[in-house]
Amino acid sequence: MAKSRFEYVRDFEESDAVMKQCFIVLRIDGSNFHRFSDKHGFVKPNDERALLANRAAHGVMQIMPDCTIAYGQSDEYSFVLRPDTTVHGRRRQKLVSLAVSKFTAVYQFYWAHFFPETALLYPPAFDGRLVLYPSDKILRDYLAWRQVDCHINNLYNTTFHSLIQKQGLTASESEKRLSKTLSKEKNEILFQLGINYNDEKDIFKKGSVLIGAENRKENEGEIDLWEAQSSEESKHLQKRQVLVLHVDIIKDPFWQRYPNLLLPLEEVKKARKRQLQTDCNKKNNEYLFILVFYHALVFVILDFNIIRKSKTQKRANALYYCSSSRQAHLNMKILDSDHRSIQLYFHISIRPRALRQLGAACHLPYHQF
Ligand code: DGT
Ligand code: MG
Ligand code: MG
């Protein structure tokens, strides 16, 4: 930015970086969604099309790589950022405004995709807040609070609307009937109306949990399969794949299954390194094979260069011939980690100039191979 005599006004901006080593939670909530859902004819008590919110949350996860887990229910979504994230200098206003604007923009952008028969009557708005949580335990309690809220509201709403829809009660009669009832009684009312609450969909009973797809275990959850509306958007989306789950996040098993979600970034890196080492030991042969393959390929290219120049050198375990000045067919043997011989066949097509540049860039003396 060019310097000017007005530059000093910048000093009036206050720093709003939030405290270090705390989990950052960004919570977004639909503004006056009671009205919005009514005006747009959302199915009561739950509308599957309202999964549009998951799509919007996915958009936020794309721009917040340190967001390890997001949890959504009703008209709200919480995004959890790692405690040691340095994204956007941990600036409160920057983080909240980015999350809210991205969520709102994606919500509108995909409206027609999820509600093809309902015109958007007016632009929805979302509010946002940032809260810091200083420990794993408190963070987990926060998420548990939101999931319990989902459970309580969903049981109430399911019973409330069933009484209206199946027993013909008015809204106020239904409200009166449910006044001061416990969960058990609501379950019984539902049962009398022919509904077993346990059979209701997990997505509504438990809400939606979004985590990075790198945490995916075998045969588990769907990776987001939403189609992008343009090639530009798909480039953007490929940054991060997201796994959508509808599971309990209150009890321990979820956190035992995904131990990396609450770790600081540094520890995740260390854990990944350890995992790589273990995988590597398990699949030693394959790993070494890739290494050998890589060096063999460099060797082929460099050696080819030498052959082109001298036209005399040969290696005992490799046979080349040039079919034209630009191409080479190669049939060679390499050894895997158990010293078993592997036959490789290459057809290489390289411009001589690129070949020379590659040879120079590698700086690898011939005898290394
Ligand atoms: P606020 O957040 O203070 O601006 O006010 P609201 O009206 O957004 O209140 P809130 O956030 O406590 O409640 C969310 C509203 O959204 C609630 O009235 C139910 C409605 N809602 C959310 N998802 C659905 C749905 O799938 N179907 C229907 N019918 N309503 C839904
Ligand atoms: Mg709301
Ligand atoms: Mg809400």
Side-chain angles (χ1 to χ4, degrees):
M1 210 185 285
K3 291 249 173 210
S4 77
R5 68 192 171 88
F6 306 114
E7 188 79 8
Y8 77 97
V9 295
R10 180 192 275 265
D11 297 339
F12 284 75
E13 289 179 19
E14 289 170 44
S15 160
D16 64 350
V18 296
M19 198 191 290
K20 288 181 181 173
Q21 302 308 327
C22 291
F23 288 99
I24 296 175
V25 171
L26 301 164
R27 183 161 86 245
I28 290 170
D29 186 280
S31 172
N32 201 1
F33 244 61
H34 181 70
R35 179 168 182 264
F36 184 84
S37 54
D38 259 8
K39 295 285 171 195
H40 291 87
F42 280 29
V43 176
K44 289 172 182 172
N46 294 304
D47 193 325
E48 296 216 23
R49 299 169 300 174
L51 295 180
L52 171 55
N54 285 359
R55 185 68 190 77
H58 173 267
V60 176
M61 286 189 85
Q62 296 289 320
I63 58 163
M64 304 263 179
D66 287 343
C67 171
T68 56
I69 175 168
Y71 174 71
Q73 53 111 354
S74 183
D75 68 337
E76 68 168 59
Y77 241 101
S78 299
F79 300 89
V80 179
L81 273 59
R82 289 193 196 282
D84 57 344
T85 183
T86 53
V87 66
H88 300 300
R90 298 175 73 89
R91 281 179 289 162
R92 182 184 292 270
Q93 292 184 44
K94 183 104 178 176
L95 289 170
V96 174
S97 55
L98 261 177
V100 170
S101 64
K102 186 72 179 183
F103 192 94
T104 313
V106 179
Y107 196 93
Q108 285 205 203
F109 195 70
Y110 277 98
W111 174 265
H113 191 87
F114 285 78
F115 289 81
E117 276 139 35
T118 313
L120 191 55
L121 300 175
Y122 63 92
F126 294 84
D127 63 47
R129 71 198 69 182
L130 182 155
V131 189
L132 295 176
Y133 291 103
S135 70
D136 292 16
K137 184 193 173 298
I138 302 177
L139 178 83
R140 274 188 55 180
D141 284 351
Y142 167 78
L143 291 169
W145 174 48
R146 297 325 302 144
Q147 195 166 49
V148 167
D149 190 78
C150 171
H151 169 69
I152 292 171
N153 288 340
N154 193 55
L155 179 61
Y156 181 90
N157 291 337
T158 307
T159 322
F160 177 82
H161 289 291
S162 297
L163 283 169
I164 295 172
Q165 289 158 8
K166 296 206 168 208
Q167 229 175 37
L169 266 60
T170 63
S172 59
E173 283 168 347
S174 183
E175 195 180 331
K176 215 171 170 186
R177 174 75 185 79
L178 292 178
S179 160
K180 295 185 186 149
T181 51
L182 302 172
S183 290
K184 203 177 153 209
E185 293 164 83
K186 291 189 192 79
N187 271 303
E188 271 166 25
I189 293 172
L190 282 174
F191 203 70
Q192 282 157 15
L193 295 172
I195 299 167
N196 183 346
Y197 186 73
N198 289 332
D199 296 339
E200 295 292 295
K201 290 188 173 174
D202 275 342
I203 185 169
F204 301 128
K205 285 189 297 184
K206 298 191 169 103
S208 298
V209 181
L210 269 54
I211 58 175
E214 65 275 8
N215 295 296
R216 190 171 196 255
K217 305 276 189 279
E218 271 177 36
N219 304 325
E220 177 180 66
E222 279 173 33
I223 294 187
D224 62 82
L225 293 170
W226 293 297
E227 281 176 22
Q229 292 194 6
S230 71
S231 59
E232 264 317 300
E233 200 209 348
S234 65
K235 276 186 222 159
H236 182 72
L237 282 177
Q238 277 158 18
K239 276 186 189 167
R240 192 175 190 198
Q241 288 194 308
V242 171
L243 192 62
V244 185
L245 305 167
H246 310 292
V247 293
D248 180 282
I249 54 172
I250 300 170
K251 299 191 196 89
D252 289 337
F254 174 81
W255 302 99
Q256 284 159 352
R257 196 167 179 82
Y258 304 106
N260 284 356
L261 296 179
L262 298 180
L263 291 180
L265 203 55
E266 274 309 305
E267 286 187 37
V268 174
K269 282 183 192 162
K270 279 186 205 158
R272 282 200 191 127
K273 221 172 172 178
R274 277 197 299 274
Q275 188 61 44
L276 192 70
Q277 197 72 48
T278 320
D279 290 350
C280 196
N281 289 342
K282 269 193 225 149
K283 297 183 178 175
N284 205 11
N285 287 350
E286 287 160 51
Y287 187 63
L288 278 175
F289 176 77
I290 292 164
L291 277 181
V292 173
F293 182 83
Y294 172 73
H295 285 292
L297 199 59
V298 174
F299 155 64
V300 169
I301 293 163
L302 289 181
D303 221 3
F304 177 41
N305 201 12
I306 291 162
I307 285 174
R308 268 184 50 78
K309 276 182 188 162
S310 67
K311 295 195 176 168
T312 54
Q313 293 185 32
K314 272 188 185 175
R315 292 276 297 198
N317 62 346
L319 169 71
Y320 322 87
Y321 68 90
C322 299
S323 61
S324 76
S325 61
R326 292 181 174 198
Q327 292 189 357
H329 298 275
L330 166 76
N331 184 2
M332 67 177 292
K333 279 181 189 170
I334 58 170
L335 299 179
D336 73 7
S337 56
D338 288 331
H339 299 281
R340 285 179 307 219
S341 164
I342 297 169
Q343 283 276 351
L344 291 175
Y345 181 78
F346 296 104
H347 175 96
I348 306 167
S349 177
I350 310 169
R351 278 175 293 148
R353 191 160 156 251
L355 199 61
R356 279 197 296 278
Q357 284 171 348
L358 193 69
C362 286
H363 295 301
L364 291 169
Y366 180 65
H367 68 260
Q368 274 197 3
F369 307 102

